Amino acid sequence: MTDTLTAPSAESAVLETVPRGFLAHDWQPAPGGRTFEVRNPATEEVIATVADCGAQDALKALDAAAAAADQWALSSPRDRATVLHRITDAMTEHRERLARIITLEIGKTITEARGEVDYAAAYFRWYAEEAVRAHARSTPSPDGRSHIVTVAEPVGPCLLITPWNVPLAMAARKAAAALAAGCTAVLKPAALTPPVLPGAGGAGA
């Protein structure tokens, strides 16, 4: 069958232990080295051990997002678009690995998981294109003697909490929009879908 994980080498390539959280541009262990196990829902086999991050880690992630907020907000729309296009390319390049991680951690068929990776990459592509569009509008004032101009501006760090059932696509949908708008973000995935792939940290900024 082509819709299942049948190659042992393919599984071993993605079953990496990442007992850390991605905080402030670096992989860091949770306080006290706390970790928890990630189990394959089909077999109950432990496939990874990841950092058990808590409130202290969340505050560190928020501090990092706040520290980078001004610089990112002042970045040009074109620079933001370039970053988002690079993310799109990276997700496309690692499509198979990302799909297998999704299958192993939440039980989707590999075909459906591949579709989710494509779906997620499309969000970054879409918002890369949106980032360079003019985000302002002009409307006549009530008395008709002037115009009111409304300009969109970044609001600051965003908290992104994603569900377990579409872990990559929903993270992409929220992160891509925030980044395109000039906002930094902290990503908190559901506990049932902790990150197994380096670069997709449980609390990131």
Side-chain angles (χ1 to χ4, degrees), residues 14-82:
V14 298
L15 295 182
E16 298 183 5
T17 297
V18 186
R20 297 168 290 175
F22 191 67
L23 299 166
H25 311 289
D26 192 20
W27 290 104
Q28 301 178 24
R34 298 191 311 270
T35 61
F36 66 96
E37 296 176 341
V38 182
R39 294 181 178 271
N40 183 327
T43 65
E44 292 297 320
E45 175 189 4
V46 175
I47 60 173
T49 304
V50 298
D52 186 6
C53 298
Q56 181 180 343
D57 301 283
L59 291 174
K60 288 173 65 176
L62 177 58
D63 288 343
D70 288 345
Q71 182 179 359
W72 184 248
L74 292 173
S75 63
S76 71
R78 177 58 60 194
D79 286 344
R80 295 177 205 162
T82 297

Side-chain angles (χ1 to χ4, degrees), residues 2-6 10-11 13-15 40-41 47 90-121 164-169 193 196-197 200:
T2 59
D3 203 32
T4 57
L5 289 170
T6 57
E11 290 192 20
V14 298
L15 295 182
N40 183 327
I47 60 173
M91 293 181 70
T92 301
E93 179 184 354
H94 296 284
R95 176 178 184 253
E96 187 65 18
R97 186 170 185 233
L98 290 167
R100 290 182 179 277
I101 290 170
I102 292 171
T103 294
L104 289 167
E105 72 175 359
I106 69 170
K108 284 188 176 182
T109 65
I110 191 64
T111 297
E112 186 176 354
R114 288 170 182 147
E116 181 175 343
V117 177
D118 295 339
Y119 185 30
W164 67 271
N165 57 326
V166 198
L168 185 59
T193 52
V196 179
L197 178 69

Side-chain angles (χ1 to χ4, degrees), residues 128-142:
E129 296 165 356
E130 285 293 297
V132 296
R133 302 185 193 281
H135 295 286
R137 64 188 180 93
S138 175
T139 56
S141 63

